[in-house]
Amino acid sequence: MDEKRFVQSAYAYIYLGLYDAALEAFARAILTNPDNPELYYRGSITARRNDRLRLADHWAKQAALIAPGNRLYAEHWQSVHASRLVAVARRAIVRGRKALATRLLAQAAVLDPLNPEASQLLATVGADERLVAKSYVLESEESNGDRTSNTRRHRWCDGTHG
């Protein structure tokens, strides 16, 4: 079966509410054509909507890696990865690991500034989101050695725009 038929099957399964079968159909489509970023992207959307964040993150990242110039795929991966970080941070909060949760939430807020959970949970753990996010940006700039691209990408964190 070609990838197109697997994708059609995936959407039919979604329509029927058979999400695990839909994810399996996307996985088969990906196996049929592993160089097609659109398959990873579509599968990632379905996985994310069904709280399969690890799979969603993996597939979103693959789409972004295969098509590095595609802004949609890159932004989708950032958003999915931020959601996954928030989920991990929630577990860290339950386990009493406030510092880890704060770091993860700050990273999520940088990756996806529109993720409301990251901001809300940062407030819950008692951290000032802007200060934590700014310190995360500074740490990532130092570790990457690519100050220009990080500063441009994360400029909102330090209060400057444009």
Side-chain angles (χ1 to χ4, degrees), residues 3 7 11 26 29-30 33-45 59 62-64 66-67 70 72-73 76:
E3 70 185 72
V7 171
Y11 284 119
F26 279 120
I30 289 167
N33 187 357
D35 295 326
N36 184 346
E38 186 69 15
L39 300 174
Y40 292 97
Y41 172 71
R42 290 178 184 203
S44 175
I45 291 169
W59 280 349
Q62 285 303 114
I66 292 169
N70 188 309
L72 174 66
Y73 297 155
H76 175 68

Side-chain angles (χ1 to χ4, degrees), residues 5-161:
R5 296 191 84 177
F6 283 123
V7 171
Q8 289 172 342
S9 295
Y11 284 119
Y13 287 130
I14 291 168
Y15 180 75
L16 296 171
L18 301 171
Y19 303 111
D20 287 337
L23 291 172
E24 181 62 31
F26 279 120
R28 288 177 184 241
I30 289 167
L31 287 174
T32 303
N33 187 357
D35 295 326
N36 184 346
E38 186 69 15
L39 300 174
Y40 292 97
Y41 172 71
R42 290 178 184 203
S44 175
I45 291 169
T46 300
R48 182 183 195 179
R49 288 181 179 163
N50 292 283
D51 287 329
R52 300 280 304 272
L53 292 178
R54 180 176 286 175
L55 179 61
D57 189 27
H58 173 71
W59 280 349
K61 185 175 182 179
Q62 285 303 114
L65 289 173
I66 292 169
N70 188 309
R71 188 172 178 176
L72 174 66
Y73 297 155
E75 289 176 358
H76 175 68
W77 174 76
Q78 287 181 298
S79 177
V80 171
H81 192 63
S83 293
R84 185 168 178 215
L85 291 172
V86 168
V88 173
R90 266 194 238 112
R91 289 191 298 272
I93 290 168
V94 169
R95 293 181 180 132
R97 301 186 67 195
K98 183 178 173 180
L100 173 62
T102 301
R103 282 194 309 275
L104 293 171
L105 293 167
Q107 186 178 2
V110 168
L111 286 171
D112 184 3
L114 300 177
N115 185 318
E117 283 185 281
S119 302
Q120 291 167 351
L121 286 175
L122 271 170
T124 300
V125 295
D128 180 351
E129 174 189 352
R130 290 183 63 79
L131 293 176
V132 174
K134 186 175 180 178
S135 69
Y136 170 75
V137 169
L138 293 175
E139 287 175 19
S140 66
E141 287 174 353
E142 290 170 3
S143 65
N144 280 344
D146 184 10
R147 187 170 174 80
T148 306
S149 66
N150 279 325
T151 302
R152 197 175 321 115
R153 186 172 42 240
H154 305 302
R155 188 164 297 207
W156 69 273
C157 292
D158 63 7
T160 60
H161 303 287

